[in-house]
PDB file of all heavy atoms in Angstrom:
ATOM      1  N   PRO A 448       5.901  -1.952  -4.236  1.00 92.00           N
ATOM      2  CA  PRO A 448       6.218  -1.947  -2.800  1.00 92.00           C
ATOM      3  C   PRO A 448       5.243  -2.754  -1.970  1.00 92.00           C
ATOM      4  O   PRO A 448       5.621  -3.340  -0.944  1.00 92.00           O
ATOM      5  CB  PRO A 448       6.186  -0.453  -2.434  1.00 92.00           C
ATOM      6  CG  PRO A 448       5.354   0.195  -3.481  1.00 92.00           C
ATOM      7  CD  PRO A 448       5.590  -0.589  -4.730  1.00 92.00           C
ATOM      8  N   THR A 449       3.988  -2.829  -2.402  1.00 93.00           N
ATOM      9  CA  THR A 449       2.991  -3.591  -1.659  1.00 93.00           C
ATOM     10  C   THR A 449       3.295  -5.084  -1.698  1.00 93.00           C
ATOM     11  O   THR A 449       3.206  -5.782  -0.674  1.00 93.00           O
ATOM     12  CB  THR A 449       1.586  -3.329  -2.226  1.00 93.00           C
ATOM     13  OG1 THR A 449       1.296  -1.938  -2.150  1.00 93.00           O
ATOM     14  CG2 THR A 449       0.532  -4.107  -1.449  1.00 93.00           C
ATOM     15  N   LEU A 450       3.663  -5.602  -2.865  1.00 92.00           N
ATOM     16  CA  LEU A 450       3.978  -7.020  -2.980  1.00 92.00           C
ATOM     17  C   LEU A 450       5.194  -7.395  -2.147  1.00 92.00           C
ATOM     18  O   LEU A 450       5.234  -8.480  -1.530  1.00 92.00           O
ATOM     19  CB  LEU A 450       4.212  -7.381  -4.449  1.00 92.00           C
ATOM     20  CG  LEU A 450       2.952  -7.413  -5.328  1.00 92.00           C
ATOM     21  CD1 LEU A 450       3.332  -7.581  -6.798  1.00 92.00           C
ATOM     22  CD2 LEU A 450       2.014  -8.528  -4.889  1.00 92.00           C
ATOM     23  N   VAL A 451       6.188  -6.515  -2.093  1.00 94.00           N
ATOM     24  CA  VAL A 451       7.363  -6.778  -1.259  1.00 94.00           C
ATOM     25  C   VAL A 451       6.966  -6.806   0.212  1.00 94.00           C
ATOM     26  O   VAL A 451       7.395  -7.689   0.979  1.00 94.00           O
ATOM     27  CB  VAL A 451       8.453  -5.715  -1.519  1.00 94.00           C
ATOM     28  CG1 VAL A 451       9.590  -5.854  -0.516  1.00 94.00           C
ATOM     29  CG2 VAL A 451       8.989  -5.834  -2.940  1.00 94.00           C
ATOM     30  N   PHE A 452       6.143  -5.849   0.613  1.00 95.00           N
ATOM     31  CA  PHE A 452       5.662  -5.810   1.998  1.00 95.00           C
ATOM     32  C   PHE A 452       4.923  -7.098   2.352  1.00 95.00           C
ATOM     33  O   PHE A 452       5.168  -7.713   3.409  1.00 95.00           O
ATOM     34  CB  PHE A 452       4.745  -4.593   2.173  1.00 95.00           C
ATOM     35  CG  PHE A 452       3.981  -4.565   3.463  1.00 95.00           C
ATOM     36  CD1 PHE A 452       4.576  -4.120   4.629  1.00 95.00           C
ATOM     37  CD2 PHE A 452       2.658  -4.991   3.513  1.00 95.00           C
ATOM     38  CE1 PHE A 452       3.872  -4.096   5.827  1.00 95.00           C
ATOM     39  CE2 PHE A 452       1.950  -4.970   4.704  1.00 95.00           C
ATOM     40  CZ  PHE A 452       2.555  -4.525   5.866  1.00 95.00           C
ATOM     41  N   VAL A 453       4.013  -7.525   1.483  1.00 93.00           N
ATOM     42  CA  VAL A 453       3.243  -8.741   1.740  1.00 93.00           C
ATOM     43  C   VAL A 453       4.162  -9.956   1.790  1.00 93.00           C
ATOM     44  O   VAL A 453       3.990 -10.843   2.650  1.00 93.00           O
ATOM     45  CB  VAL A 453       2.153  -8.913   0.665  1.00 93.00           C
ATOM     46  CG1 VAL A 453       1.507 -10.295   0.762  1.00 93.00           C
ATOM     47  CG2 VAL A 453       1.097  -7.822   0.797  1.00 93.00           C
ATOM     48  N   ALA A 454       5.143 -10.025   0.897  1.00 93.00           N
ATOM     49  CA  ALA A 454       6.057 -11.176   0.879  1.00 93.00           C
ATOM     50  C   ALA A 454       6.856 -11.271   2.171  1.00 93.00           C
ATOM     51  O   ALA A 454       7.000 -12.360   2.753  1.00 93.00           O
ATOM     52  CB  ALA A 454       7.000 -11.060  -0.322  1.00 93.00           C
ATOM     53  N   VAL A 455       7.356 -10.146   2.643  1.00 94.00           N
ATOM     54  CA  VAL A 455       8.161 -10.153   3.868  1.00 94.00           C
ATOM     55  C   VAL A 455       7.309 -10.565   5.067  1.00 94.00           C
ATOM     56  O   VAL A 455       7.693 -11.432   5.863  1.00 94.00           O
ATOM     57  CB  VAL A 455       8.799  -8.769   4.097  1.00 94.00           C
ATOM     58  CG1 VAL A 455       9.441  -8.694   5.482  1.00 94.00           C
ATOM     59  CG2 VAL A 455       9.836  -8.476   3.031  1.00 94.00           C
ATOM     60  N   TRP A 456       6.119  -9.978   5.193  1.00 93.00           N
ATOM     61  CA  TRP A 456       5.286 -10.285   6.348  1.00 93.00           C
ATOM     62  C   TRP A 456       4.710 -11.694   6.276  1.00 93.00           C
ATOM     63  O   TRP A 456       4.510 -12.350   7.309  1.00 93.00           O
ATOM     64  CB  TRP A 456       4.170  -9.249   6.484  1.00 93.00           C
ATOM     65  CG  TRP A 456       4.545  -8.184   7.475  1.00 93.00           C
ATOM     66  CD1 TRP A 456       4.954  -6.918   7.213  1.00 93.00           C
ATOM     67  CD2 TRP A 456       4.566  -8.323   8.897  1.00 93.00           C
ATOM     68  NE1 TRP A 456       5.228  -6.249   8.388  1.00 93.00           N
ATOM     69  CE2 TRP A 456       4.992  -7.084   9.428  1.00 93.00           C
ATOM     70  CE3 TRP A 456       4.263  -9.359   9.777  1.00 93.00           C
ATOM     71  CZ2 TRP A 456       5.125  -6.866  10.805  1.00 93.00           C
ATOM     72  CZ3 TRP A 456       4.395  -9.144  11.146  1.00 93.00           C
ATOM     73  CH2 TRP A 456       4.820  -7.907  11.645  1.00 93.00           C
ATOM     74  N   THR A 457       4.460 -12.203   5.072  1.00 92.00           N
ATOM     75  CA  THR A 457       4.000 -13.585   4.953  1.00 92.00           C
ATOM     76  C   THR A 457       5.083 -14.548   5.426  1.00 92.00           C
ATOM     77  O   THR A 457       4.799 -15.525   6.135  1.00 92.00           O
ATOM     78  CB  THR A 457       3.621 -13.896   3.491  1.00 92.00           C
ATOM     79  OG1 THR A 457       2.549 -13.033   3.082  1.00 92.00           O
ATOM     80  CG2 THR A 457       3.171 -15.337   3.340  1.00 92.00           C
ATOM     81  N   ALA A 458       6.320 -14.264   5.056  1.00 92.00           N
ATOM     82  CA  ALA A 458       7.439 -15.105   5.507  1.00 92.00           C
ATOM     83  C   ALA A 458       7.565 -15.057   7.029  1.00 92.00           C
ATOM     84  O   ALA A 458       7.781 -16.089   7.689  1.00 92.00           O
ATOM     85  CB  ALA A 458       8.732 -14.636   4.846  1.00 92.00           C
ATOM     86  N   VAL A 459       7.417 -13.870   7.611  1.00 91.00           N
ATOM     87  CA  VAL A 459       7.497 -13.733   9.071  1.00 91.00           C
ATOM     88  C   VAL A 459       6.373 -14.509   9.743  1.00 91.00           C
ATOM     89  O   VAL A 459       6.589 -15.242  10.718  1.00 91.00           O
ATOM     90  CB  VAL A 459       7.446 -12.239   9.470  1.00 91.00           C
ATOM     91  CG1 VAL A 459       7.298 -12.098  10.985  1.00 91.00           C
ATOM     92  CG2 VAL A 459       8.697 -11.518   8.999  1.00 91.00           C
ATOM     93  N   ALA A 460       5.154 -14.352   9.217  1.00 89.00           N
ATOM     94  CA  ALA A 460       3.996 -15.025   9.821  1.00 89.00           C
ATOM     95  C   ALA A 460       4.123 -16.549   9.714  1.00 89.00           C
ATOM     96  O   ALA A 460       3.837 -17.276  10.679  1.00 89.00           O
ATOM     97  CB  ALA A 460       2.716 -14.547   9.148  1.00 89.00           C
TER      98      ALA A 460
END
Side-chain angles (χ1 to χ4, degrees):
T449 301
L450 288 172
V451 172
F452 169 81
V453 170
V455 170
W456 263 104
T457 299
V459 171

